[in-house]
Amino acid sequence: MSSAAHAAASRRRAGRGGVLLPLAVGAAGAVAAALLVVRTPYAPLSYGICPSVLLLGVSCPGCGGLRATHDLLTGDLAGAWHANPLWVLVAPLLLAGWVLWTRRRWRGTSAGVPPAWLAWVVLVVVVLFGVLRNVPALVPYLGPAPLT
């Protein structure tokens, strides 16, 4: 068998079996999304309380993420933005990344390596958002919306 034929056969096998992990991640995400639609995170303590709020009294960058996801899934973009604006921007990027990952695994192509600087950019954005959302003057814009 030639190397080209061997590579093609390898890609076909990867398409069948290689896509199982992305599909499992997608299924887990779909189940979690369904739970968030059915059981609202707006009820006090429905999913617990963020440890940073409980122990330190500050909102972490993820505070309001469940409420933002619930609002996105139910079509309330404004409510999602008030709950966690960073998550509203990041969630579609994660969904697009999952689609790309699934497609590449299906085709048997390599996933590629993200540039080294990307991790630093993500870290700076998350830390900066975490700090700014606790500045009293910015809380109405970046802080998680209060439970109603």
Side-chain angles (χ1 to χ4, degrees):
M1 180 184 289
S2 71
S3 63
H6 181 68
S10 177
R11 278 196 296 275
R12 279 194 301 276
R13 281 192 304 276
R16 292 184 191 104
V19 77
L20 292 179
L21 181 59
L23 290 179
V25 170
V31 168
L35 176 65
L36 272 173
V37 169
V38 172
R39 184 173 180 224
T40 180
Y42 279 98
L45 300 176
S46 61
Y47 288 96
I49 188 165
C50 178
S52 72
V53 172
L54 183 64
L55 299 173
L56 305 173
V58 297
S59 298
C60 76
C63 282
L66 286 176
R67 289 179 274 148
T69 304
H70 169 80
D71 290 341
L72 285 173
L73 292 170
T74 57
D76 182 8
L77 185 59
W81 185 264
H82 287 294
N84 191 320
L86 181 62
W87 181 244
V88 173
L89 299 174
V90 169
L93 296 175
L94 289 175
L95 184 60
W98 176 80
V99 168
L100 245 148
W101 177 40
T102 304
R103 187 173 62 193
R104 285 181 175 165
R105 292 293 292 257
W106 178 259
R107 292 181 178 171
T109 58
S110 67
V113 178
W117 53 264
L118 183 61
W120 290 105
V121 169
V122 169
L123 178 67
V124 167
V125 167
V126 169
V127 169
L128 191 61
F129 178 70
V131 170
L132 291 177
R133 78 182 321 200
N134 288 290
V135 172
L138 297 176
V139 167
Y141 308 104
L142 299 177
L147 292 172
T148 55

